[in-house]
Coordinates of all heavy atoms in Angstrom, one line a residue:
S254 N 10.8 5.6 4.9 CA 11.3 6.8 4.3 C 12.2 7.5 5.3 O 12.3 7.0 6.5 CB 10.1 7.8 4.0 OG 9.6 8.4 5.2
K255 N 12.8 8.5 4.9 CA 13.7 9.3 5.7 C 13.0 10.4 6.5 O 13.6 11.2 7.1 CB 14.9 9.9 4.9 CG 15.8 8.8 4.3 CD 17.0 9.5 3.6 CE 17.9 8.4 3.1 NZ 19.1 8.9 2.4
S256 N 11.7 10.4 6.4 CA 10.9 11.4 7.0 C 10.9 11.5 8.5 O 10.7 12.5 9.2 CB 9.4 11.3 6.6 OG 8.8 10.2 7.3
G257 N 11.3 10.3 9.2 CA 11.3 10.3 10.6 C 9.9 9.8 11.2 O 9.8 9.6 12.4
G258 N 8.9 9.7 10.4 CA 7.6 9.2 10.8 C 7.1 8.1 9.9 O 7.8 7.7 9.0
L259 N 5.9 7.8 10.1 CA 5.2 6.8 9.3 C 5.0 7.4 7.9 O 4.6 8.6 7.8 CB 3.9 6.3 9.8 CG 3.9 5.6 11.2 CD1 2.5 5.4 11.7 CD2 4.7 4.3 11.1
T260 N 5.3 6.6 6.8 CA 5.0 7.1 5.5 C 4.0 6.1 4.9 O 4.2 5.0 4.6 CB 6.3 7.1 4.6 OG1 7.2 8.0 5.2 CG2 6.0 7.4 3.2
F261 N 2.7 6.7 4.8 CA 1.6 5.9 4.3 C 1.6 5.8 2.8 O 2.1 6.8 2.1 CB 0.3 6.5 4.8 CG 0.2 6.4 6.3 CD1 0.6 7.5 7.1 CD2 -0.4 5.3 6.9 CE1 0.5 7.4 8.4 CE2 -0.5 5.2 8.2 CZ -0.1 6.3 9.0
P262 N 1.2 4.8 2.1 CA 1.1 4.7 0.7 C 0.1 5.7 0.2 O -1.0 6.0 0.8 CB 0.6 3.3 0.4 CG 0.0 2.8 1.6 CD 0.7 3.5 2.8
C263 N 0.4 6.4 -1.0 CA -0.6 7.3 -1.5 C -1.8 6.6 -2.1 O -1.8 5.4 -2.2 CB 0.1 8.2 -2.6 SG 0.4 7.3 -4.2
G264 N -2.8 7.4 -2.5 CA -4.0 6.8 -3.1 C -3.8 6.0 -4.3 O -4.4 4.9 -4.5
I265 N -2.9 6.5 -5.2 CA -2.7 5.7 -6.4 C -2.0 4.4 -6.1 O -2.4 3.3 -6.6 CB -1.8 6.5 -7.4 CG1 -2.5 7.7 -7.9 CG2 -1.3 5.7 -8.5 CD1 -1.7 8.7 -8.7
C266 N -1.0 4.4 -5.2 CA -0.4 3.1 -4.8 C -1.4 2.2 -4.1 O -1.4 1.0 -4.4 CB 0.8 3.4 -3.9 SG 2.2 4.1 -4.7
C267 N -2.3 2.7 -3.3 CA -3.3 1.8 -2.7 C -4.2 1.2 -3.7 O -4.4 0.0 -3.7 CB -4.1 2.7 -1.7 SG -3.3 3.1 -0.2
Q268 N -4.6 2.0 -4.7 CA -5.4 1.4 -5.8 C -4.7 0.4 -6.6 O -5.2 -0.7 -6.9 CB -5.9 2.5 -6.7 CG -6.8 2.0 -7.8 CD -8.1 1.3 -7.3 OE1 -8.8 1.8 -6.4 NE2 -8.4 0.2 -7.9
V269 N -3.4 0.6 -6.9 CA -2.6 -0.4 -7.7 C -2.4 -1.6 -6.8 O -2.5 -2.7 -7.3 CB -1.3 0.3 -8.1 CG1 -0.4 -0.8 -8.7 CG2 -1.6 1.4 -9.1
L270 N -2.1 -1.5 -5.5 CA -1.9 -2.6 -4.7 C -3.2 -3.4 -4.6 O -3.2 -4.7 -4.6 CB -1.5 -2.2 -3.3 CG 0.0 -1.7 -3.1 CD1 0.2 -1.1 -1.8 CD2 1.0 -2.9 -3.4
S271 N -4.4 -2.8 -4.6 CA -5.6 -3.5 -4.5 C -5.9 -4.4 -5.7 O -6.7 -5.3 -5.6 CB -6.8 -2.5 -4.3 OG -7.1 -1.9 -5.6
E272 N -5.3 -4.1 -6.8 CA -5.4 -5.0 -8.0 C -4.9 -6.4 -7.7 O -5.4 -7.4 -8.2 CB -4.7 -4.4 -9.2 CG -4.8 -5.1 -10.5 CD -6.2 -4.8 -11.1 OE1 -6.8 -3.8 -10.8 OE2 -6.5 -5.5 -12.0
F273 N -3.9 -6.5 -6.8 CA -3.2 -7.8 -6.5 C -3.4 -8.2 -5.1 O -3.2 -9.4 -4.8 CB -1.7 -7.6 -6.8 CG -1.5 -7.4 -8.3 CD1 -1.3 -6.1 -8.8 CD2 -1.5 -8.4 -9.2 CE1 -1.1 -5.9 -10.1 CE2 -1.3 -8.2 -10.5 CZ -1.1 -6.9 -11.0
F274 N -3.7 -7.4 -4.1 CA -3.9 -7.8 -2.7 C -5.3 -8.3 -2.6 O -6.3 -7.7 -3.1 CB -3.7 -6.6 -1.8 CG -2.2 -6.3 -1.5 CD1 -1.2 -6.6 -2.3 CD2 -1.9 -5.7 -0.3 CE1 0.1 -6.4 -2.0 CE2 -0.6 -5.4 0.1 CZ 0.4 -5.8 -0.8
E275 N -5.4 -9.4 -1.8 CA -6.7 -10.0 -1.6 C -7.4 -9.5 -0.3 O -8.6 -9.8 -0.1 CB -6.6 -11.5 -1.6 CG -6.1 -12.1 -2.9 CD -5.8 -13.6 -2.8 OE1 -5.9 -14.2 -1.7 OE2 -5.4 -14.2 -3.9
G276 N -6.6 -8.9 0.5 CA -7.2 -8.3 1.8 C -6.5 -8.8 3.0 O -6.6 -8.1 4.1
N277 N -5.8 -9.9 3.0 CA -5.1 -10.4 4.2 C -3.7 -9.9 4.3 O -3.0 -10.2 5.3 CB -5.2 -11.9 4.3 CG -6.6 -12.4 4.4 OD1 -7.4 -11.8 5.1 ND2 -6.9 -13.5 3.7
E278 N -3.1 -9.3 3.2 CA -1.7 -8.9 3.2 C -1.5 -7.8 4.2 O -2.3 -7.0 4.5 CB -1.3 -8.4 1.8 CG -1.5 -9.5 0.7 CD -2.9 -9.6 0.2 OE1 -3.8 -8.9 0.7 OE2 -3.1 -10.4 -0.7
E279 N -0.3 -7.9 4.9 CA 0.0 -6.9 5.9 C 0.9 -5.8 5.2 O 1.7 -6.1 4.4 CB 0.7 -7.6 7.0 CG -0.2 -8.5 7.8 CD 0.3 -9.1 9.0 OE1 1.6 -9.3 9.1 OE2 -0.5 -9.2 10.0

């Protein structure tokens, strides 16, 4: 992001990613 710092995924995005991520993805 243009924030200048780390931009962490929001809770909704984490949940959606969890539908397809198996756990080893970086």
Side-chain angles (χ1 to χ4, degrees):
S254 76
K255 293 184 178 181
S256 73
L259 297 175
T260 298
F261 295 91
C263 74
I265 293 172
C266 286
C267 287
Q268 180 60 45
V269 171
L270 288 170
S271 77
E272 186 78 16
F273 296 94
F274 277 27
E275 296 174 358
N277 296 322
E278 298 83 357
E279 295 188 324

